[in-house]
Amino acid sequence: MTDPNAIQPSELDQLPDRDPEETAEWQASLDAVAKAAGPHRAAYLMRRTLERAEGTGIALPKLLETDYVNTIPTAAEPAVPGDEAMERRITAWNRWNAAAMVTRGSKYGVGGHIATFASAAWLYETGFNHFFRGKEADGSGDQLYIQGHASPGIYARAFLDGRLNESHLDNFRRESGGNGLPSYPHPRRLPWLWEFPTVSMGLGPLSAIYQARFNRYLTARGIKDVSDSHVWAFLGDGEMDEPESTAALALASREGLDNLTFVINCNLQRLDGPVRANFKIVQELEAQFRGAGWNVVKSLWGSAWDELFQLDTTGALVRRLREVPDAQVQTYQTRDAAYIREDFFGKDPALVEMAKLLSDDKILECFHLSRGGHEARKVYAAYRAAVEFKGAPTVILAQTVKGYTLGEGFASKNANHQMKKLSVDEFKAMRDLLELPISDSHFVDGVVPYGHPGADSPEVRYLQERRAALGGPAPARRVHPVAPLPAPAEKAFTAFDKGSGSQNVATTMAFVRLVKDLVRDKETGRRWVPIVPDEARTFGMESLFPSLGIYSPKGQTYEPVDRDQLMYYKEAKNGQILNEGITEAGSMADFIAASTAYATHGEAMIPFYIFYSMFGWQRTADQMWQLGDQLGRGFLVGATAGRTTLTGEGLQHADGHSPVIAATNPAALTYDPAFAYEVATIVKDGLRRMYGEAAPGEDQNVFYYLTVYNEPLPQPAKPQGLGVDEGIVKGLYRFNTAESAGLSPVANAPRIQLLGSGTAIHWTLQAQKLLAEEWGVAADVWSATSWTELRRDALEADEALLRGEERVPYVRQALHGAEGPVLAVSDYMRQVPDQIAQWVEQDWSSLGADGFGLSDTREGARRHFGVDAESIVVAALAQLARRGEVKATAVKEAREKYGL
């Protein structure tokens, strides 16, 4: 059996020891200290030695965890360069109004959160007064990712500042009247205030990292120097359980993003109870961030603890703080001094003696009130350390009390996240605690009053002067007037009008070729931001590597293995391509940062993010909602699209539903183009709408989702005639008729309208030929470029009718007078084309690839789902048979003929 006390083998055994005797002496010294002074003294000496080594530049692995104390000693804290008493009064007003707003709204049942801001008030106030740069100075200011549940406090401060009035506060979470405030940070609902939507939780930290990274990208490429901008992300300790919260920590440290600071409000509580009941979330986060290469600053204890630490001559206090689990710390917050003496101090003889020197009031002050996140001096010291640290991002772990100052009924209670109001008596106690000049007479009929010291009060003047010195109000979103981007040269778009002749071209390749031409445009080419998650070669984009370069803050420090090839792998400090590796979430965060640069930095950028369509909306749809919330613009491109088109990959890669998910997003314009010229037409119109001269009534704050396919096929020429471009953009146009296709049906032949989207139109065209040549049926073929846009137009027409306006949906106009029934086909589930069924006057039927995907050839998969040309023929005959226009036996004959 192995001796547990024996020294285990380590990696050091592989290294040569030039002086084993000296090594043994060091080890013996350590053993002697541990024996004579105890293991804690030995550990202290070792840590001091490691600290010394790091300070002198000796390369050693860092400790992942430090003691449960403040990183910055009290003696090293800089003085706060403002009026702390004034800032305390401002914070008191904000606390009051945040709680009053939610309490007053509770009578409408709209909810709200009080306890989060109560714990984080000083974290925000210190930043607003001393650190957060506004938009009115040079540059772009700072980017603030505000914790969603703290929004009442931000509204309260804007009320004090005069940017909001009582009517606004009274309409918190009641927006339909037009004067309301959204529950959480939401640029689409309050676009002059909020820049970044941070709910759903977890998306804020991920987006903040990529925003900081995109800032560096803009500067490196010479688009705009935003090196003075700093990204601040305010997060909850419970929020850090979301996988997105920590997904990109290594990226931030790898690229040295010292323009980024995370501030994690460690109130030790999540929605239902402790974040880490039996453990310590601060220590866990410290190890996680240190391991990822971040600078970590802990601000855990307030100044009341200074006396206790000075009395801790044996280290017993620090050891006890390290071992007490978080849930017990919360319990101390709610118990009396006698309990704390027994449970906390009574575990160690040295602590028992220490407790004898402390009054009950001192113990309660420390354990009930004094936290590092509740003192301006502690918070300022942490923020100053963060902005001065160079070479890595910083995370500040600030310990607070959830529900701080709200009274014993709130502080540290498990249920406080769901508690939406205080009683009048609780408000009066809070008023007395905060020393606010609000008399009992202001409580009329039991309604809690808002508090304001006056527009010309010292508090408001101080607040506004501090913001003026820092560059204007914050948070704030500014869309600076930007001239529409000039349209690229027409030839980039018309290159596809003649078709590809006998050459097979997939629509994925057509899109990539279009982008290659557009990035060469002298006016707008530099503004394109190609984003790809390690699949550039899959999509045929490797030709862009040497011409555009892949962005890397280090450039290329190695000789690429394919340097002698024409399309070698080229990284560059000013590279244009963002090749993110295998992270769709990171790529979407990139896209969001680029797509909103027109507002964040006053620079219109044109991102396109190309990805396996199956791994877009299914995997990152939450971020696509975030994109819409943040009013982003750009092109999402779902490549290798469709359920039957990607041969051999099977269930996990077969996308039959992304247009369904995309249709739920009001900001997404979803297109399923069939041909190269359709891709070009849609992109051209998207550039006009998002970046050029939008038509009256058009919302520019949209983004496009295009599905493109990896099936190489001959690309037809663009049909000539009026309405083709309009039809492509609106979602439907007639590609051909049986006659124009040269099929010459017999006189009075039964006729059917075949609607196909994406790659399905090719099977539809084959079916058109079979119907004419083998069954005497005339079929007209329509290209449905966007089922979703057809539906939205029809919904708008319905709404107009309810208002008494006469309006006919475009789909009904387009199909007006078309003979026979309609059969719609796509490579997606039938729900996709069925979106428009109720607005089609003709008899309707559809085919689609419902169910799970499977591995097979394209032909085999299409036969399996019943969407191949022969299946379309049988479905068309069945429709006509029901109308009595072909014999019923024809359906059975066709099934047998084609082996269905």
Side-chain angles (χ1 to χ4, degrees):
M1 181 177 294
T2 303
D3 180 1
N5 296 317
I7 297 177
Q8 300 299 312
S10 77
E11 73 278 2
L12 294 178
D13 294 337
Q14 304 173 64
L15 305 177
D17 189 344
R18 295 186 301 175
D19 193 339
E21 185 175 347
E22 182 184 33
T23 302
E25 289 175 356
W26 276 78
Q27 292 171 335
S29 297
L30 181 63
D31 292 341
V33 170
K35 183 176 180 179
H40 301 298
R41 176 61 180 169
Y44 177 84
L45 291 175
M46 288 300 300
R47 289 178 57 187
R48 278 298 192 187
T49 303
L50 289 172
E51 183 180 74
R52 180 71 173 183
E54 183 176 349
T56 56
I58 299 174
L60 285 172
K62 292 185 178 181
L63 291 174
L64 294 185
E65 186 180 319
T66 61
D67 284 323
Y68 202 67
V69 297
N70 295 347
T71 301
I72 303 171
T74 300
E77 293 170 357
V80 180
D83 186 334
E84 288 191 53
M86 182 67 71
E87 293 176 20
R88 192 175 299 110
R89 292 204 295 275
I90 292 171
T91 305
W93 286 115
N94 293 340
R95 289 181 184 279
W96 177 272
N97 288 321
M101 179 194 337
V102 177
T103 297
R104 288 167 65 128
S106 67
K107 67 181 180 181
Y108 301 105
V110 295
H113 301 288
I114 304 177
T116 295
F117 176 73
S119 68
W122 275 113
L123 302 180
Y124 291 107
E125 193 60 37
T126 302
F128 285 132
N129 286 324
H130 303 287
F131 291 94
F132 304 157
R133 289 165 47 85
K135 307 285 182 189
E136 295 173 4
D138 295 336
S140 302
D142 289 351
Q143 288 81 54
L144 307 181
Y145 288 77
I146 304 294
Q147 190 180 2
H149 292 142
S151 61
I154 308 304
Y155 291 140
R157 195 174 200 277
F159 170 65
L160 204 66
D161 194 13
R163 294 199 290 163
L164 295 175
N165 56 40
E166 287 193 12
S167 176
H168 289 113
L169 300 193
D170 266 345
N171 284 286
F172 173 61
R173 290 196 168 194
R174 295 192 299 138
E175 301 177 72
S176 59
N179 197 34
L181 301 177
S183 53
Y184 303 124
H186 206 308
R188 188 169 286 276
R189 292 300 183 203
L190 205 61
W192 60 268
L193 181 73
W194 297 120
E195 271 197 292
F196 306 106
T198 50
V199 178
S200 298
M201 287 190 289
L203 299 188
L206 179 67
S207 293
I209 289 174
Y210 280 89
Q211 182 65 58
R213 197 281 196 95
F214 189 74
N215 290 356
R216 291 282 175 85
Y217 171 90
L218 284 179
T219 301
R221 290 197 53 223
I223 301 292
K224 182 178 183 180
D225 185 357
V226 294
S227 54
D228 285 340
S229 291
H230 199 90
V231 178
W232 299 83
F234 289 83
L235 318 168
D237 47 0
E239 180 179 8
M240 301 311 293
D241 284 347
E242 292 282 5
E244 296 91 348
S245 294
T246 55
L249 298 186
L251 167 72
S253 61
R254 183 170 64 246
E255 299 203 359
L257 298 181
D258 50 24
N259 60 336
L260 170 67
T261 298
F262 276 15
V263 181
I264 303 182
N265 178 14
C266 298
N267 57 37
L268 313 185
Q269 286 183 254
R270 50 190 177 199
L271 276 61
D272 290 331
V275 178
R276 292 291 183 272
N278 296 297
F279 305 93
K280 301 190 79 63
I281 185 60
V282 168
Q283 301 301 85
E284 178 182 317
L285 291 174
E286 178 184 27
Q288 194 169 13
F289 278 86
R290 283 187 185 277
W294 286 54
N295 175 45
V296 178
V297 177
K298 294 195 290 190
S299 183
L300 307 181
W301 306 112
S303 56
W305 283 82
D306 290 348
E307 179 184 343
L308 275 67
F309 288 124
Q310 290 171 1
L311 294 173
D312 185 29
T313 57
T314 65
L317 176 63
V318 172
R319 293 195 298 274
R320 182 67 179 137
L321 289 174
R322 189 190 307 143
E323 68 188 21
V324 176
D326 284 351
Q328 191 64 23
V329 173
Q330 298 297 84
T331 298
Y332 295 147
Q333 175 70 35
T334 63
R335 302 301 290 269
D336 59 21
Y339 178 88
I340 298 171
R341 285 182 186 278
E342 179 180 352
D343 192 86
F344 181 84
F345 292 98
K347 302 298 184 182
D348 187 293
L351 293 181
V352 171
E353 294 303 312
M354 179 190 294
K356 293 177 181 178
L357 303 175
L358 304 173
S359 67
D360 284 357
D361 287 344
K362 182 65 176 180
I363 289 175
L364 293 179
E365 180 187 13
C366 289
F367 284 84
H368 284 193
L369 303 174
S370 188
R371 300 290 187 274
H374 294 322
E375 295 187 13
R377 187 183 181 94
K378 304 291 183 185
V379 176
Y380 181 87
Y383 285 9
R384 178 57 60 195
V387 297
E388 291 179 352
F389 190 87
K390 302 302 177 186
T394 294
V395 58
I396 295 169
L397 304 175
Q399 186 164 253
T400 65
V401 175
K402 193 167 186 177
Y404 185 70
T405 73
L406 297 181
E408 294 182 0
F410 262 84
S412 292
K413 296 298 175 65
N414 282 341
N416 62 18
H417 192 80
Q418 305 302 330
M419 297 163 68
K420 312 300 181 187
K421 60 183 178 179
L422 279 72
S423 68
V424 169
D425 287 341
E426 287 172 323
F427 266 107
K428 290 179 179 178
M430 180 182 175
R431 170 201 62 190
D432 296 340
L433 175 67
L434 298 176
E435 300 179 344
L436 290 173
I438 300 173
S439 68
D440 287 355
S441 63
H442 287 97
F443 291 81
V444 180
D445 296 327
V447 176
V448 180
Y450 294 119
H452 200 292
D456 195 41
S457 64
E459 292 94 331
V460 173
R461 289 201 305 271
Y462 180 89
L463 181 157
Q464 293 175 342
E465 288 168 2
R466 291 307 308 142
R467 289 312 315 157
L470 288 166
R477 181 178 183 270
R478 297 284 187 270
V479 180
H480 301 281
V482 177
L485 296 182
E490 188 70 17
K491 67 178 182 179
F493 303 105
T494 59
F496 302 98
D497 287 358
K498 294 181 180 179
S500 64
S502 59
Q503 182 183 4
N504 290 332
V505 178
T507 51
T508 299
M509 295 301 100
F511 177 81
V512 172
R513 176 184 164 186
L514 174 63
V515 169
K516 286 173 64 177
D517 290 340
L518 293 175
V519 296
R520 295 192 187 103
D521 185 84
K522 292 182 179 179
E523 296 290 336
T524 61
R526 64 198 288 262
R527 297 192 176 273
W528 282 86
V529 184
I531 303 168
V532 60
D534 199 37
E535 289 282 6
R537 297 183 193 277
T538 301
F539 307 135
M541 291 175 58
E542 65 268 29
S543 61
L544 298 177
F545 288 169
S547 58
L548 301 183
I550 299 166
Y551 170 72
S552 170
K554 289 185 175 294
Q556 194 151 33
T557 61
Y558 60 91
E559 184 175 355
V561 67
D562 54 359
R563 182 63 180 85
D564 296 332
Q565 298 178 17
L566 182 62
M567 294 183 287
Y568 68 97
Y569 194 83
K570 177 186 175 183
E571 297 187 79
K573 291 182 179 180
N574 63 346
Q576 192 164 351
I577 300 170
L578 293 173
N579 191 332
E580 292 304 348
I582 306 175
T583 168
E584 288 83 6
S587 299
M588 269 306 303
D590 262 339
F591 187 90
I592 292 169
S595 70
T596 54
Y598 73 93
T600 309
H601 296 299
E603 295 287 345
M605 305 300 289
I606 312 172
F608 79 86
Y609 165 34
I610 188 168
F611 50 89
Y612 263 77
S613 65
M614 184 66 162
F615 306 139
W617 288 88
Q618 174 170 301
R619 183 167 290 183
T620 56
D622 201 12
Q623 288 178 282
M624 291 162 179
W625 273 99
Q626 182 189 16
L627 167 64
D629 291 345
Q630 201 168 319
L631 302 125
R633 306 170 184 174
F635 296 96
L636 297 176
V637 184
T640 60
R643 180 146 279 166
T644 70
T645 307
L646 187 58
T647 57
E649 294 284 6
L651 170 62
Q652 292 85 357
H653 290 65
D655 171 22
H657 52 279
S658 70
V660 177
I661 307 175
T664 65
N665 191 310
L669 277 59
T670 302
Y671 287 89
D672 187 24
F675 306 122
Y677 66 80
E678 292 179 353
V679 173
T681 301
I682 294 165
V683 171
K684 177 183 176 182
D685 193 68
L687 290 172
R688 175 200 62 80
R689 176 170 178 173
M690 295 185 290
Y691 301 98
E693 296 285 357
E698 275 189 324
D699 184 3
Q700 283 191 285
N701 299 316
V702 295
F703 60 92
Y704 283 65
Y705 175 52
L706 279 69
T707 53
V708 293
Y709 299 83
N710 73 327
E711 186 172 13
L713 292 165
Q715 294 294 323
K718 186 177 185 178
Q720 300 300 309
L722 296 174
V724 173
D725 282 0
E726 179 188 28
I728 292 172
V729 172
K730 289 192 171 183
L732 183 69
Y733 70 97
R734 182 154 47 195
F735 176 73
N736 71 16
T737 63
E739 291 76 12
S740 67
L743 297 176
S744 303
V746 297
N748 300 318
R751 186 172 290 270
I752 189 169
Q753 307 299 316
L754 301 179
L755 279 57
S757 69
T759 197
I761 203 168
H762 297 285
W763 330 323
T764 307
L765 290 167
Q766 295 169 28
Q768 178 191 42
K769 185 176 182 182
L770 290 174
L771 283 166
E773 294 177 352
E774 299 184 7
W775 304 96
V777 172
D780 300 337
V781 174
W782 300 70
S783 179
T785 55
S786 179
W787 309 102
T788 303
E789 287 305 294
L790 291 173
R791 176 179 175 80
R792 287 178 177 166
D793 172 79
L795 289 172
E796 290 173 4
D798 286 355
E799 292 174 4
L801 286 173
L802 293 176
R803 296 192 300 267
E805 303 171 17
E806 289 295 328
R807 180 174 166 188
V808 179
Y810 174 80
V811 63
R812 187 169 294 172
Q813 295 178 44
L815 291 171
H816 180 69
E819 298 178 36
V822 168
L823 175 61
V825 188
S826 84
D827 202 17
Y828 297 93
M829 56 197 302
R830 289 176 59 183
Q831 185 176 340
V832 175
D834 283 349
Q835 293 179 84
I836 66 169
Q838 72 186 81
W839 293 281
V840 174
E841 293 179 332
Q842 294 85 348
D843 291 342
W844 174 272
S845 185
S846 63
L847 294 175
D850 285 77
F852 288 109
L854 77 166
S855 297
D856 210 318
T857 63
R858 292 185 179 119
E859 294 76 13
R862 286 163 188 167
R863 176 57 57 92
H864 169 80
F865 286 109
V867 293
D868 60 354
E870 292 79 5
S871 298
I872 295 171
V873 169
V874 172
L877 293 174
Q879 263 189 296
L880 293 168
R882 285 194 294 271
R883 296 163 57 93
E885 296 180 22
V886 301
K887 295 180 180 179
T889 55
V891 180
K892 181 179 179 182
E893 291 173 15
R895 271 201 310 267
E896 293 174 350
K897 178 181 178 71
Y898 301 133
L900 298 177

